[in-house]
């Protein structure tokens, strides 16, 4: 069996969408297993741009099944909008190519409002969330009071479930000095989008098991990045789900043995959106230069991404916590023309050299990066489709990173276009 999990090895926006889209040619099914529409995955196919937040990137390829697993939090209003927007771009979406787990939790407008309310109340200590209700929706899931996708099939009991949810939320709203919510109104609003969700519902774990028996190839599409993982990330400046590769199994209803190869995606430098530690950040002309060349603006919120040098300590750590077997290195072309490139190879913490990232928030804020300087290259690597088309110094940079992160580069991406990709090792042929 050859199933591949793709996960971001930094703070998100590594180019997962592009790589999943490229790999999906070799797959039968593409599965999202965590996160929600906080993700923003960009695909560029023959110059045409597709932006996906909730739907798996496989949706753009005819004949591939896209699956939203139980680990995803689903905003039905956003789902309807994204489906419409893709349909207007000529993509066919129906039950033949899209299924949604009937045990996934829903994001309701009250989650989005609470997300925003909390961020405003936190002031300078805010997380810098996408404001899409992701955190509050996951809280309700583990709090055992969420409304799930499958609840929309059983209208008799839905109203009672909404009341149970509102018992909690109205207490919170009272605390914030905000008006309480009416259960019937929440119910009526849900009815407007019910059909969109119900059309695609399935016991996804069972469907995937059938696929497995039929020796179909499954591609798991991670959202966010490992440094945003709720356990292994830069807590509390993280998202509210597990983003590590182990979640591919939990978030889809397949056992851990379902994943045969874990591919991590990393940029040739580092970016981060929102608050939190970022040791190799370049809040200066270099960071500005990288941001402009790399077009580092958020797909979801349009926010400017913070930019900095490649942090080999963090990527190596991400590789270990996710069991990554190969890296797809993206955006190498963005570094073309730099005279000097730096790589963070270790940190200083309170006068001592360390080579792992500490887990406490306070220590994370105190670490100082130790850089290795690297000579840049003048020639262009943009659009290269083979090793031989790469500047010699760029090849050296890739080899140097492989050594530092203790993991081979399996794929290399040299532009946003689908086919500007160099394959060194086929993840499906492990
Ligand atoms: P994701 O969230 O990991 O899917 O990444 P995003 O789509 O949010 O951000 C990555 C951005 O980089 C997108 O605009 C991509 O089109 C673009 N991109 C992906 N790979 C490359 C690459 O190799 N070179 C360049 N220049 N851009 C890339
Ligand atoms: P993709 O899949 C980059 C960040 C937010 C914020 C933190 C928590 O495109 O890589 P949340 O709304 O999830 O509660 O926000 O996580 N974040 C992302 N950053 N890429 C993403 O997704 C992100 N999804 C969430 O900016 O710092
Ligand atoms: Mg993104």
């Amino acid at each position: 069996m050859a199933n591949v999990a793709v996960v971001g090895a930094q703070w998100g926006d590594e180019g997962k969408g592009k790589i999943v889209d490229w790999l999906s040619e070799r797959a039968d099914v593409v599965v999202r297993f965590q996160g929600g529409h906080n993700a923003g995955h960009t695909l560029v196919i023959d110059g045409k741009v597709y932006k996906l937040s909730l739907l798996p990137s496989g949706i753009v390829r005819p004949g591939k099944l896209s699956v939203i697993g139980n680990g995803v939090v689903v905003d039905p209003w956003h789902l309807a909008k994204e489906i419409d927007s893709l349909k207007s771009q000529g993509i066919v979406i129906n039950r033949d190519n899209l299924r949604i787990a009937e045990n996934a939790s829903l994001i309701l407008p009250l989650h989005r409002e609470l997300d925003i309310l909390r961020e405003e109340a936190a002031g300078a200590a805010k997380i810098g969330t996408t404001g899409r209700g992701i955190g509050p929706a996951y809280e309700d899931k583990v709090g055992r009071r969420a409304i799930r996708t499958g609840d929309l099939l059983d209208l008799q009991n839905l109203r009672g479930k909404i009341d149970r949810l509102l018992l909690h939320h109205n207490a919170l709203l009272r605390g914030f000095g905000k008006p309480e919510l009416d259960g019937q109104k929440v119910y009526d609003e849900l009815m407007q989008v019910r059909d969109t969700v119900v059309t695609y519902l399935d016991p996804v774990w069972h469907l995937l098991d059938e696929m497995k028996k039929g020796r179909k190839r499954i591609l798991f599409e991670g959202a966010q990045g490992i440094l945003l993982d709720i356990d292994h990330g830069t807590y509390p400046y993280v998202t509210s789900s597990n983003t590590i590769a182990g979640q591919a199994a939990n978030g889809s209803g397949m056992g851990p043995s379902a994943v045969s190869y874990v591919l991590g995606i990393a940029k040739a430098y580092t970016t981060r959106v929102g608050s939190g530690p970022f040791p190799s950040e370049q809040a200066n002309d270099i960071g500005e230069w990288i941001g402009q060349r790399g077009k580092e603006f958020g797909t979801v919120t349009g926010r400017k991404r913070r930019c900095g040098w490649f942090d080999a300590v963090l990527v190596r750590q991400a590789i270990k916590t996710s069991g990554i077997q190969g890296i797809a290195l993206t955006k190498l072309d963005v570094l073309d023309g730099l005279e000097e490139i730096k790589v963070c190879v270790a940190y200083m913490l309170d006068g001592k050299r360390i080579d792992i990232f500490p887990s406490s928030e306070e220590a994370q804020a105190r670490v100082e990066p130790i850089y290795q300087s690297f000579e840049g290259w003048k020639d262009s690597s943009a659009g290269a489709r083979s090793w031989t088309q790469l500047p010699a110094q760029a090849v050296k940079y890739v080899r140097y990173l492989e050594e530092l992160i203790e993991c081979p580069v399996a794929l290399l991406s040299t532009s946003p276009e689908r086919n500007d990709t160099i394959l060194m090792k086929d993840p499906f042929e492990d």
Side-chain angles (χ1 to χ4, degrees):
M1 190 181 45
N3 297 331
V4 175
V6 170
V7 287
Q10 292 158 322
W11 277 293
D13 302 326
E14 298 91 347
K16 296 176 291 294
K18 151 148 184 180
I19 299 297
V20 169
D21 169 56
W22 189 82
L23 279 174
S24 67
E25 188 188 8
R26 292 154 201 261
D28 301 292
V29 193
V30 182
V31 186
R32 275 282 305 269
F33 54 87
Q34 47 70 230
H37 66 309
N38 49 346
H41 297 177
T42 318
L43 281 49
V44 185
I45 304 163
D46 297 329
K48 203 165 168 187
V49 180
Y50 302 89
K51 288 182 188 289
L52 302 167
S53 284
L54 182 57
L55 296 173
S57 296
I59 202 78
V60 302
R61 275 198 201 260
K64 310 288 174 184
L65 179 65
S66 285
V67 171
I68 294 179
N70 55 278
V72 174
V73 279
V74 179
D75 178 326
W77 289 269
H78 179 85
L79 176 72
K81 217 163 88 185
E82 193 165 317
I83 290 175
D84 281 352
S85 144
L86 282 165
K87 280 185 174 170
S88 74
Q89 284 191 287
I91 305 294
V92 175
I93 302 176
N94 53 42
R95 207 181 140 75
D96 290 341
N97 69 341
L98 176 65
R99 299 291 168 88
I100 301 175
E102 55 191 14
N103 53 348
S105 294
L106 291 180
I107 302 182
L108 304 178
L110 58 88
H111 293 121
R112 190 184 59 239
E113 283 150 23
L114 182 60
D115 192 355
I116 294 167
L117 207 59
R118 281 205 190 124
E119 284 282 271
E120 279 171 5
K126 70 175 185 193
I127 307 286
T129 72
T130 58
R132 299 203 149 185
I134 305 293
Y138 274 118
E139 286 169 35
D140 282 343
K141 173 179 177 171
V142 296
R144 295 162 293 189
R145 54 179 174 265
I147 308 294
R148 307 207 300 179
T149 46
D151 291 332
L152 300 176
L153 293 168
D154 177 8
L155 295 185
Q156 270 200 325
N157 289 304
L158 178 59
R159 192 63 185 76
K161 286 176 183 164
I162 291 174
D163 285 343
R164 187 176 67 191
L165 179 71
L166 289 189
L167 197 67
H168 178 81
H169 278 271
N170 280 337
L172 277 175
L173 288 168
R174 280 196 298 278
F176 275 111
K178 297 284 175 192
E180 293 186 28
L181 293 168
D182 172 56
Q184 189 57 41
K185 197 163 161 249
V186 172
Y187 179 93
D188 292 343
E189 279 173 1
L190 259 177
M191 286 310 102
Q192 292 165 13
V193 284
R194 175 180 179 265
D195 287 352
T196 309
V197 178
V198 165
T199 308
Y200 305 102
L201 290 185
D202 225 4
V204 152
W205 67 269
H206 185 251
L207 173 74
L208 292 175
D209 188 53
E210 294 294 312
M211 295 278 167
K212 189 171 141 189
K213 280 191 221 154
R215 305 195 71 77
K216 301 286 185 205
R217 285 171 157 192
I218 305 172
L219 180 56
F220 297 93
E221 178 177 9
Q224 290 81 54
I226 291 156
L227 302 175
L228 290 169
D229 181 271
I230 188 74
D231 291 301
H232 297 285
T234 46
Y235 191 89
Y237 301 101
V238 291
T239 191
S240 296
S241 67
N242 278 115
T243 58
I244 51 168
Q247 180 62 16
N250 302 341
S252 63
M254 300 189 86
S257 61
V259 179
S260 54
Y261 188 92
V262 181
L263 180 72
I265 318 294
K267 277 180 195 174
Y269 50 95
T270 312
T271 64
R272 168 161 212 173
V273 210
S275 323
F278 181 173
S280 65
E281 181 171 16
Q282 298 299 300
N284 53 31
D285 288 352
I286 298 269
E288 200 58 38
W289 187 89
I290 293 175
Q292 289 300 328
R293 269 189 64 95
K295 301 195 173 66
E296 296 296 354
F297 295 89
T299 315
V300 171
T301 56
R303 287 179 292 177
K304 202 169 168 178
R305 296 173 182 153
R306 299 155 65 191
C307 297
W309 298 119
F310 188 87
D311 188 330
V313 181
L314 286 177
V315 174
R316 189 169 58 224
Q317 202 152 318
I319 285 167
K320 309 292 177 190
T321 54
S322 263
I324 290 171
Q325 290 148 291
I327 284 283
L329 192 71
T330 61
K331 305 192 98 164
L332 185 67
D333 55 295
V334 173
L335 302 181
D336 289 353
L338 275 177
E339 253 171 44
E340 181 193 31
I341 298 170
K342 289 185 183 174
V343 178
C344 172
V345 294
Y347 307 118
M348 288 305 286
L349 177 65
D350 305 333
K352 270 202 206 119
R353 185 184 165 115
I354 54 169
D355 60 8
I356 65 169
F357 199 51
S359 58
S360 97
E361 181 186 351
E362 292 70 27
Q364 288 180 356
R366 282 204 311 280
V367 301
E368 291 290 335
I370 300 173
Y371 292 114
Q372 188 78 46
S373 180
F374 200 86
E375 195 188 321
W377 53 92
K378 292 214 167 46
D379 296 334
S380 169
S381 72
R385 294 189 180 185
S386 74
W387 268 110
T388 52
Q389 291 175 314
L390 291 174
Q393 195 61 15
V395 172
K396 267 197 202 165
Y397 180 65
V398 175
R399 293 300 184 212
Y400 176 59
L401 295 188
E402 283 181 318
E403 229 173 86
L404 288 174
I405 61 177
E406 300 173 12
C407 184
V409 168
L411 284 153
L412 201 68
S413 167
T414 56
S415 103
E417 259 297 335
R418 179 188 264 177
N419 290 322
D420 290 341
T421 307
I422 304 172
L423 176 70
M424 269 79 87
K425 151 113 195 51
D426 186 341
F428 281 109
E429 300 295 335
D430 198 43

